[in-house]
Amino acid sequence: MENTFEKIYQAVIKIPKGRVATYGQIATMAGNPRWSQIVGYALHVNPKPGVIPCHRVVNRLGEVSQAFAFGGENMQIKLLKEEVVKFDSDGRVVLSDCLWDGK
DNA sequence: TTAATGACCTATC
DNA sequence: CGATAGGCCATTA
């Protein structure tokens, strides 16, 4: 149980700066591709703020979830913008260029 | 213990 | 091609 969360956190923390990963990607790295929902839940509880870059986790569309809104989704995107993450006019992350390869 | 929910994804109509 | 339904796992009530 906690082990599962730890795996997810480890995967999220492993995301290099300027790069984003999708829930499915992290779930697969954690050990099961069906944990996508659990990944969202794990970040929802976010037991280790400051250690887990939740803003680097986006859905498969490259869009940050609205539930993030820990200060405004726009701020979330802006934060990523401060990194080297690229954004398109749709407000989505350019997965084709910033999607984490997993290594 | 059972049922319902959720920061999701995939498949089907 | 666009929208809808279902399913998976874990947590909460």
Side-chain angles (χ1 to χ4, degrees), chain A residues 27-101:
Chain A
T28 304
M29 283 183 240
N32 264 337
R34 284 147 194 105
W35 286 354
S36 45
Q37 193 82 9
I38 311 303
V39 174
Y41 216 92
L43 295 174
H44 177 71
V45 290
N46 199 359
K48 301 186 171 184
V51 185
I52 305 169
C54 333
H55 55 274
R56 280 186 195 159
V57 185
V58 295
N59 59 17
R60 104 175 249 321
L61 297 175
E63 251 243 11
V64 292
S65 287
Q66 342 132 317
F68 263 94
F70 55 77
E73 4 178 351
N74 212 315
M75 179 184 126
Q76 169 92 219
I77 298 168
K78 193 174 183 180
L79 210 82
L80 286 166
K81 272 186 175 184
E82 288 303 301
E83 307 272 316
V84 278
V85 182
K86 294 179 182 174
F87 276 83
D88 56 7
S89 304
D90 295 321
R92 303 191 213 163
V93 184
V94 185
L95 302 172
S96 305
D97 200 80
C98 294
L99 180 59
W100 183 30
D101 319 83

